[in-house]
Amino acid sequence: KQGGRTLIRLGDSDIDYDPNFNFYVTTKMPNPHYLPEVCIKVTVINFTVTTKGLEDQLLGEVVRKERPDLEEQKDRLVVSISNDKRQLQELEDKVLKLLKDSKGNILDDEQLISTLNHSKATSDIIGNRVQEAEVTERSINEAREYYRPAATRGSILYFVIADLSLFNPMYQF
């Protein structure tokens, strides 16, 4: 939001965002993997189903049903890691802009020195948070693996039922 307007960043420019806007993307990839921050903000509909892809989707649903706290923690963690990485990128961009715009001796530019000190401290804090978040994410994924057999069986069951029509047309769905 900027001055009452809702903007969206496209490349390096900000454009007005209309809440009625829908964007559809199609792909021929059987099991596309997108960045976590993209997956959280969009709805991915996969019309081609593979055993592994269905297993991954079912794992998410089983964990969401059995351990909603775990899945919610994983979602928050993905958003947190994404925000921290974005903040680091913004700090880098700010420092580079100040270096580029600096006139004369850069050691005399107090704003640049102050920004560098601030960005170093912030970078250290964010780096530690990202490392802690990645350790937490690994432990969450290990806990999720407990439910993998249920997701695997669900995936196998789907494909068995889908292939029943190959034996007899009566089993078409």
PDB file of all heavy atoms in Angstrom, residues 120-148:
ATOM      1  N   LYS A 120      24.839  -4.552   8.608  1.00  0.00           N
ATOM      2  CA  LYS A 120      25.646  -5.675   9.105  1.00  0.00           C
ATOM      3  C   LYS A 120      24.981  -6.299  10.327  1.00  0.00           C
ATOM      4  O   LYS A 120      24.850  -7.522  10.419  1.00  0.00           O
ATOM      5  CB  LYS A 120      27.058  -5.226   9.456  1.00  0.00           C
ATOM      6  CG  LYS A 120      27.936  -6.378   9.931  1.00  0.00           C
ATOM      7  CD  LYS A 120      29.311  -5.913  10.290  1.00  0.00           C
ATOM      8  CE  LYS A 120      30.244  -6.991  10.742  1.00  0.00           C
ATOM      9  NZ  LYS A 120      29.731  -8.146  11.366  1.00  0.00           N
ATOM     10  N   ALA A 121      24.539  -5.478  11.257  1.00  0.00           N
ATOM     11  CA  ALA A 121      23.873  -5.990  12.462  1.00  0.00           C
ATOM     12  C   ALA A 121      22.585  -6.714  12.097  1.00  0.00           C
ATOM     13  O   ALA A 121      22.316  -7.823  12.574  1.00  0.00           O
ATOM     14  CB  ALA A 121      23.581  -4.845  13.426  1.00  0.00           C
ATOM     15  N   THR A 122      21.795  -6.085  11.233  1.00  0.00           N
ATOM     16  CA  THR A 122      20.538  -6.700  10.806  1.00  0.00           C
ATOM     17  C   THR A 122      20.805  -7.986  10.053  1.00  0.00           C
ATOM     18  O   THR A 122      20.101  -8.980  10.234  1.00  0.00           O
ATOM     19  CB  THR A 122      19.733  -5.720   9.928  1.00  0.00           C
ATOM     20  OG1 THR A 122      19.576  -4.492  10.631  1.00  0.00           O
ATOM     21  CG2 THR A 122      18.372  -6.283   9.581  1.00  0.00           C
ATOM     22  N   SER A 123      21.818  -7.986   9.202  1.00  0.00           N
ATOM     23  CA  SER A 123      22.167  -9.170   8.434  1.00  0.00           C
ATOM     24  C   SER A 123      22.561 -10.324   9.347  1.00  0.00           C
ATOM     25  O   SER A 123      22.162 -11.472   9.109  1.00  0.00           O
ATOM     26  CB  SER A 123      23.312  -8.837   7.483  1.00  0.00           C
ATOM     27  OG  SER A 123      23.744  -9.978   6.804  1.00  0.00           O
ATOM     28  N   ASP A 124      23.322 -10.034  10.391  1.00  0.00           N
ATOM     29  CA  ASP A 124      23.707 -11.079  11.348  1.00  0.00           C
ATOM     30  C   ASP A 124      22.489 -11.651  12.057  1.00  0.00           C
ATOM     31  O   ASP A 124      22.353 -12.868  12.195  1.00  0.00           O
ATOM     32  CB  ASP A 124      24.696 -10.532  12.380  1.00  0.00           C
ATOM     33  CG  ASP A 124      26.065 -10.232  11.787  1.00  0.00           C
ATOM     34  OD1 ASP A 124      26.354 -10.736  10.675  1.00  0.00           O
ATOM     35  OD2 ASP A 124      26.839  -9.483  12.426  1.00  0.00           O
ATOM     36  N   ILE A 125      21.591 -10.773  12.484  1.00  0.00           N
ATOM     37  CA  ILE A 125      20.373 -11.214  13.175  1.00  0.00           C
ATOM     38  C   ILE A 125      19.523 -12.076  12.250  1.00  0.00           C
ATOM     39  O   ILE A 125      19.071 -13.165  12.631  1.00  0.00           O
ATOM     40  CB  ILE A 125      19.560 -10.002  13.680  1.00  0.00           C
ATOM     41  CG1 ILE A 125      20.318  -9.298  14.803  1.00  0.00           C
ATOM     42  CG2 ILE A 125      18.168 -10.420  14.146  1.00  0.00           C
ATOM     43  CD1 ILE A 125      19.756  -7.943  15.174  1.00  0.00           C
ATOM     44  N   ILE A 126      19.311 -11.596  11.027  1.00  0.00           N
ATOM     45  CA  ILE A 126      18.484 -12.335  10.078  1.00  0.00           C
ATOM     46  C   ILE A 126      19.155 -13.650   9.692  1.00  0.00           C
ATOM     47  O   ILE A 126      18.495 -14.681   9.562  1.00  0.00           O
ATOM     48  CB  ILE A 126      18.183 -11.473   8.832  1.00  0.00           C
ATOM     49  CG1 ILE A 126      17.231 -10.330   9.210  1.00  0.00           C
ATOM     50  CG2 ILE A 126      17.581 -12.308   7.720  1.00  0.00           C
ATOM     51  CD1 ILE A 126      16.967  -9.344   8.102  1.00  0.00           C
ATOM     52  N   GLY A 127      20.474 -13.621   9.518  1.00  0.00           N
ATOM     53  CA  GLY A 127      21.196 -14.858   9.187  1.00  0.00           C
ATOM     54  C   GLY A 127      21.001 -15.919  10.254  1.00  0.00           C
ATOM     55  O   GLY A 127      20.772 -17.091   9.948  1.00  0.00           O
ATOM     56  N   ASN A 128      21.078 -15.503  11.523  1.00  0.00           N
ATOM     57  CA  ASN A 128      20.846 -16.447  12.628  1.00  0.00           C
ATOM     58  C   ASN A 128      19.416 -16.967  12.622  1.00  0.00           C
ATOM     59  O   ASN A 128      19.178 -18.155  12.843  1.00  0.00           O
ATOM     60  CB  ASN A 128      21.159 -15.789  13.972  1.00  0.00           C
ATOM     61  CG  ASN A 128      22.639 -15.543  14.158  1.00  0.00           C
ATOM     62  OD1 ASN A 128      23.470 -16.210  13.535  1.00  0.00           O
ATOM     63  ND2 ASN A 128      22.982 -14.584  14.995  1.00  0.00           N
ATOM     64  N   ARG A 129      18.448 -16.063  12.371  1.00  0.00           N
ATOM     65  CA  ARG A 129      17.045 -16.484  12.323  1.00  0.00           C
ATOM     66  C   ARG A 129      16.804 -17.464  11.185  1.00  0.00           C
ATOM     67  O   ARG A 129      16.069 -18.440  11.350  1.00  0.00           O
ATOM     68  CB  ARG A 129      16.126 -15.276  12.157  1.00  0.00           C
ATOM     69  CG  ARG A 129      15.815 -14.582  13.436  1.00  0.00           C
ATOM     70  CD  ARG A 129      14.607 -13.696  13.377  1.00  0.00           C
ATOM     71  NE  ARG A 129      14.418 -12.953  12.161  1.00  0.00           N
ATOM     72  CZ  ARG A 129      14.194 -11.653  12.092  1.00  0.00           C
ATOM     73  NH1 ARG A 129      14.159 -10.934  13.185  1.00  0.00           N
ATOM     74  NH2 ARG A 129      14.000 -11.063  10.936  1.00  0.00           N
ATOM     75  N   VAL A 130      17.419 -17.213  10.032  1.00  0.00           N
ATOM     76  CA  VAL A 130      17.242 -18.108   8.888  1.00  0.00           C
ATOM     77  C   VAL A 130      17.838 -19.481   9.203  1.00  0.00           C
ATOM     78  O   VAL A 130      17.228 -20.516   8.892  1.00  0.00           O
ATOM     79  CB  VAL A 130      17.868 -17.500   7.604  1.00  0.00           C
ATOM     80  CG1 VAL A 130      17.998 -18.530   6.510  1.00  0.00           C
ATOM     81  CG2 VAL A 130      17.043 -16.320   7.116  1.00  0.00           C
ATOM     82  N   GLN A 131      19.006 -19.515   9.835  1.00  0.00           N
ATOM     83  CA  GLN A 131      19.603 -20.804  10.201  1.00  0.00           C
ATOM     84  C   GLN A 131      18.724 -21.562  11.194  1.00  0.00           C
ATOM     85  O   GLN A 131      18.502 -22.768  11.051  1.00  0.00           O
ATOM     86  CB  GLN A 131      20.995 -20.603  10.795  1.00  0.00           C
ATOM     87  CG  GLN A 131      22.047 -20.243   9.766  1.00  0.00           C
ATOM     88  CD  GLN A 131      23.407 -20.002  10.403  1.00  0.00           C
ATOM     89  OE1 GLN A 131      23.511 -19.817  11.607  1.00  0.00           O
ATOM     90  NE2 GLN A 131      24.441 -19.999   9.575  1.00  0.00           N
ATOM     91  N   GLU A 132      18.210 -20.857  12.192  1.00  0.00           N
ATOM     92  CA  GLU A 132      17.321 -21.489  13.166  1.00  0.00           C
ATOM     93  C   GLU A 132      16.052 -21.986  12.487  1.00  0.00           C
ATOM     94  O   GLU A 132      15.559 -23.079  12.788  1.00  0.00           O
ATOM     95  CB  GLU A 132      16.953 -20.513  14.278  1.00  0.00           C
ATOM     96  CG  GLU A 132      18.092 -20.172  15.213  1.00  0.00           C
ATOM     97  CD  GLU A 132      17.752 -19.028  16.152  1.00  0.00           C
ATOM     98  OE1 GLU A 132      16.573 -18.583  16.183  1.00  0.00           O
ATOM     99  OE2 GLU A 132      18.662 -18.571  16.860  1.00  0.00           O
ATOM    100  N   ALA A 133      15.521 -21.192  11.565  1.00  0.00           N
ATOM    101  CA  ALA A 133      14.298 -21.572  10.860  1.00  0.00           C
ATOM    102  C   ALA A 133      14.532 -22.804   9.991  1.00  0.00           C
ATOM    103  O   ALA A 133      13.661 -23.671   9.893  1.00  0.00           O
ATOM    104  CB  ALA A 133      13.794 -20.408  10.007  1.00  0.00           C
ATOM    105  N   GLU A 134      15.697 -22.899   9.382  1.00  0.00           N
ATOM    106  CA  GLU A 134      15.984 -24.057   8.544  1.00  0.00           C
ATOM    107  C   GLU A 134      16.117 -25.321   9.389  1.00  0.00           C
ATOM    108  O   GLU A 134      15.669 -26.395   8.977  1.00  0.00           O
ATOM    109  CB  GLU A 134      17.233 -23.805   7.703  1.00  0.00           C
ATOM    110  CG  GLU A 134      16.970 -22.818   6.575  1.00  0.00           C
ATOM    111  CD  GLU A 134      18.211 -22.379   5.818  1.00  0.00           C
ATOM    112  OE1 GLU A 134      19.340 -22.695   6.273  1.00  0.00           O
ATOM    113  OE2 GLU A 134      18.039 -21.740   4.770  1.00  0.00           O
ATOM    114  N   VAL A 135      16.696 -25.202  10.588  1.00  0.00           N
ATOM    115  CA  VAL A 135      16.771 -26.347  11.498  1.00  0.00           C
ATOM    116  C   VAL A 135      15.359 -26.758  11.920  1.00  0.00           C
ATOM    117  O   VAL A 135      15.020 -27.946  11.929  1.00  0.00           O
ATOM    118  CB  VAL A 135      17.644 -26.005  12.735  1.00  0.00           C
ATOM    119  CG1 VAL A 135      17.497 -27.046  13.823  1.00  0.00           C
ATOM    120  CG2 VAL A 135      19.092 -25.847  12.320  1.00  0.00           C
ATOM    121  N   THR A 136      14.532 -25.778  12.254  1.00  0.00           N
ATOM    122  CA  THR A 136      13.146 -26.048  12.637  1.00  0.00           C
ATOM    123  C   THR A 136      12.391 -26.694  11.486  1.00  0.00           C
ATOM    124  O   THR A 136      11.621 -27.639  11.699  1.00  0.00           O
ATOM    125  CB  THR A 136      12.434 -24.741  13.066  1.00  0.00           C
ATOM    126  OG1 THR A 136      13.200 -24.116  14.090  1.00  0.00           O
ATOM    127  CG2 THR A 136      11.035 -25.013  13.561  1.00  0.00           C
ATOM    128  N   GLU A 137      12.623 -26.208  10.273  1.00  0.00           N
ATOM    129  CA  GLU A 137      11.945 -26.775   9.108  1.00  0.00           C
ATOM    130  C   GLU A 137      12.332 -28.240   8.921  1.00  0.00           C
ATOM    131  O   GLU A 137      11.483 -29.077   8.593  1.00  0.00           O
ATOM    132  CB  GLU A 137      12.290 -25.971   7.852  1.00  0.00           C
ATOM    133  CG  GLU A 137      11.527 -26.423   6.624  1.00  0.00           C
ATOM    134  CD  GLU A 137      11.832 -25.579   5.408  1.00  0.00           C
ATOM    135  OE1 GLU A 137      12.918 -24.985   5.338  1.00  0.00           O
ATOM    136  OE2 GLU A 137      10.966 -25.538   4.514  1.00  0.00           O
ATOM    137  N   ARG A 138      13.602 -28.565   9.128  1.00  0.00           N
ATOM    138  CA  ARG A 138      14.028 -29.958   9.016  1.00  0.00           C
ATOM    139  C   ARG A 138      13.312 -30.827  10.049  1.00  0.00           C
ATOM    140  O   ARG A 138      12.878 -31.939   9.751  1.00  0.00           O
ATOM    141  CB  ARG A 138      15.541 -30.086   9.163  1.00  0.00           C
ATOM    142  CG  ARG A 138      16.294 -29.768   7.882  1.00  0.00           C
ATOM    143  CD  ARG A 138      17.745 -30.215   7.944  1.00  0.00           C
ATOM    144  NE  ARG A 138      18.552 -29.485   8.901  1.00  0.00           N
ATOM    145  CZ  ARG A 138      19.144 -28.315   8.670  1.00  0.00           C
ATOM    146  NH1 ARG A 138      19.028 -27.749   7.490  1.00  0.00           N
ATOM    147  NH2 ARG A 138      19.854 -27.723   9.603  1.00  0.00           N
ATOM    148  N   SER A 139      13.182 -30.322  11.276  1.00  0.00           N
ATOM    149  CA  SER A 139      12.508 -31.118  12.314  1.00  0.00           C
ATOM    150  C   SER A 139      11.014 -31.268  11.995  1.00  0.00           C
ATOM    151  O   SER A 139      10.432 -32.331  12.244  1.00  0.00           O
ATOM    152  CB  SER A 139      12.711 -30.509  13.691  1.00  0.00           C
ATOM    153  OG  SER A 139      12.036 -29.283  13.816  1.00  0.00           O
ATOM    154  N   ILE A 140      10.411 -30.230  11.424  1.00  0.00           N
ATOM    155  CA  ILE A 140       9.001 -30.321  11.020  1.00  0.00           C
ATOM    156  C   ILE A 140       8.851 -31.357   9.917  1.00  0.00           C
ATOM    157  O   ILE A 140       7.932 -32.187   9.942  1.00  0.00           O
ATOM    158  CB  ILE A 140       8.473 -28.949  10.558  1.00  0.00           C
ATOM    159  CG1 ILE A 140       8.333 -28.002  11.747  1.00  0.00           C
ATOM    160  CG2 ILE A 140       7.135 -29.091   9.846  1.00  0.00           C
ATOM    161  CD1 ILE A 140       8.017 -26.573  11.359  1.00  0.00           C
ATOM    162  N   ASN A 141       9.749 -31.339   8.942  1.00  0.00           N
ATOM    163  CA  ASN A 141       9.674 -32.309   7.851  1.00  0.00           C
ATOM    164  C   ASN A 141       9.873 -33.735   8.362  1.00  0.00           C
ATOM    165  O   ASN A 141       9.239 -34.666   7.856  1.00  0.00           O
ATOM    166  CB  ASN A 141      10.693 -31.973   6.766  1.00  0.00           C
ATOM    167  CG  ASN A 141      10.275 -30.762   5.963  1.00  0.00           C
ATOM    168  OD1 ASN A 141       9.098 -30.423   5.889  1.00  0.00           O
ATOM    169  ND2 ASN A 141      11.233 -30.086   5.368  1.00  0.00           N
ATOM    170  N   GLU A 142      10.749 -33.912   9.357  1.00  0.00           N
ATOM    171  CA  GLU A 142      10.922 -35.238   9.952  1.00  0.00           C
ATOM    172  C   GLU A 142       9.631 -35.689  10.629  1.00  0.00           C
ATOM    173  O   GLU A 142       9.247 -36.854  10.530  1.00  0.00           O
ATOM    174  CB  GLU A 142      12.072 -35.221  10.964  1.00  0.00           C
ATOM    175  CG  GLU A 142      13.439 -35.141  10.341  1.00  0.00           C
ATOM    176  CD  GLU A 142      14.553 -34.949  11.362  1.00  0.00           C
ATOM    177  OE1 GLU A 142      14.287 -35.086  12.583  1.00  0.00           O
ATOM    178  OE2 GLU A 142      15.683 -34.650  10.932  1.00  0.00           O
ATOM    179  N   ALA A 143       8.960 -34.778  11.325  1.00  0.00           N
ATOM    180  CA  ALA A 143       7.692 -35.117  11.979  1.00  0.00           C
ATOM    181  C   ALA A 143       6.614 -35.434  10.949  1.00  0.00           C
ATOM    182  O   ALA A 143       5.790 -36.331  11.153  1.00  0.00           O
ATOM    183  CB  ALA A 143       7.242 -33.969  12.881  1.00  0.00           C
ATOM    184  N   ARG A 144       6.651 -34.735   9.823  1.00  0.00           N
ATOM    185  CA  ARG A 144       5.672 -34.990   8.752  1.00  0.00           C
ATOM    186  C   ARG A 144       5.858 -36.370   8.138  1.00  0.00           C
ATOM    187  O   ARG A 144       4.901 -36.977   7.687  1.00  0.00           O
ATOM    188  CB  ARG A 144       5.797 -33.936   7.653  1.00  0.00           C
ATOM    189  CG  ARG A 144       5.254 -32.588   8.017  1.00  0.00           C
ATOM    190  CD  ARG A 144       5.511 -31.618   6.908  1.00  0.00           C
ATOM    191  NE  ARG A 144       5.013 -32.175   5.652  1.00  0.00           N
ATOM    192  CZ  ARG A 144       4.381 -31.507   4.726  1.00  0.00           C
ATOM    193  NH1 ARG A 144       4.203 -30.245   4.868  1.00  0.00           N
ATOM    194  NH2 ARG A 144       3.957 -32.075   3.644  1.00  0.00           N
ATOM    195  N   GLU A 145       7.099 -36.840   8.105  1.00  0.00           N
ATOM    196  CA  GLU A 145       7.390 -38.139   7.500  1.00  0.00           C
ATOM    197  C   GLU A 145       6.666 -39.280   8.216  1.00  0.00           C
ATOM    198  O   GLU A 145       6.458 -40.339   7.638  1.00  0.00           O
ATOM    199  CB  GLU A 145       8.890 -38.404   7.451  1.00  0.00           C
ATOM    200  CG  GLU A 145       9.619 -37.591   6.404  1.00  0.00           C
ATOM    201  CD  GLU A 145       9.087 -37.807   4.995  1.00  0.00           C
ATOM    202  OE1 GLU A 145       8.930 -38.977   4.578  1.00  0.00           O
ATOM    203  OE2 GLU A 145       8.815 -36.807   4.319  1.00  0.00           O
ATOM    204  N   TYR A 146       6.275 -39.063   9.460  1.00  0.00           N
ATOM    205  CA  TYR A 146       5.509 -40.063  10.205  1.00  0.00           C
ATOM    206  C   TYR A 146       4.212 -40.403   9.471  1.00  0.00           C
ATOM    207  O   TYR A 146       3.721 -41.528   9.550  1.00  0.00           O
ATOM    208  CB  TYR A 146       5.216 -39.536  11.612  1.00  0.00           C
ATOM    209  CG  TYR A 146       4.344 -40.432  12.449  1.00  0.00           C
ATOM    210  CD1 TYR A 146       4.866 -41.569  13.051  1.00  0.00           C
ATOM    211  CD2 TYR A 146       2.997 -40.147  12.632  1.00  0.00           C
ATOM    212  CE1 TYR A 146       4.066 -42.399  13.820  1.00  0.00           C
ATOM    213  CE2 TYR A 146       2.191 -40.967  13.401  1.00  0.00           C
ATOM    214  CZ  TYR A 146       2.725 -42.096  13.988  1.00  0.00           C
ATOM    215  OH  TYR A 146       1.938 -42.919  14.744  1.00  0.00           O
ATOM    216  N   TYR A 147       3.667 -39.435   8.740  1.00  0.00           N
ATOM    217  CA  TYR A 147       2.393 -39.617   8.045  1.00  0.00           C
ATOM    218  C   TYR A 147       2.566 -40.032   6.579  1.00  0.00           C
ATOM    219  O   TYR A 147       1.594 -40.210   5.863  1.00  0.00           O
ATOM    220  CB  TYR A 147       1.566 -38.324   8.116  1.00  0.00           C
ATOM    221  CG  TYR A 147       1.251 -37.943   9.540  1.00  0.00           C
ATOM    222  CD1 TYR A 147       2.017 -37.002  10.211  1.00  0.00           C
ATOM    223  CD2 TYR A 147       0.218 -38.560  10.215  1.00  0.00           C
ATOM    224  CE1 TYR A 147       1.744 -36.677  11.528  1.00  0.00           C
ATOM    225  CE2 TYR A 147      -0.060 -38.240  11.535  1.00  0.00           C
ATOM    226  CZ  TYR A 147       0.700 -37.303  12.189  1.00  0.00           C
ATOM    227  OH  TYR A 147       0.431 -36.985  13.495  1.00  0.00           O
ATOM    228  N   ARG A 148       3.793 -40.183   6.123  1.00  0.00           N
ATOM    229  CA  ARG A 148       4.051 -40.546   4.724  1.00  0.00           C
ATOM    230  C   ARG A 148       3.376 -41.858   4.318  1.00  0.00           C
ATOM    231  O   ARG A 148       2.833 -41.939   3.223  1.00  0.00           O
ATOM    232  CB  ARG A 148       5.556 -40.594   4.464  1.00  0.00           C
ATOM    233  CG  ARG A 148       5.916 -41.096   3.115  1.00  0.00           C
ATOM    234  CD  ARG A 148       6.311 -40.169   2.038  1.00  0.00           C
ATOM    235  NE  ARG A 148       6.927 -38.922   2.326  1.00  0.00           N
ATOM    236  CZ  ARG A 148       6.739 -37.875   1.539  1.00  0.00           C
ATOM    237  NH1 ARG A 148       5.951 -37.960   0.480  1.00  0.00           N
ATOM    238  NH2 ARG A 148       7.323 -36.742   1.798  1.00  0.00           N
TER     239      ARG A 148
END
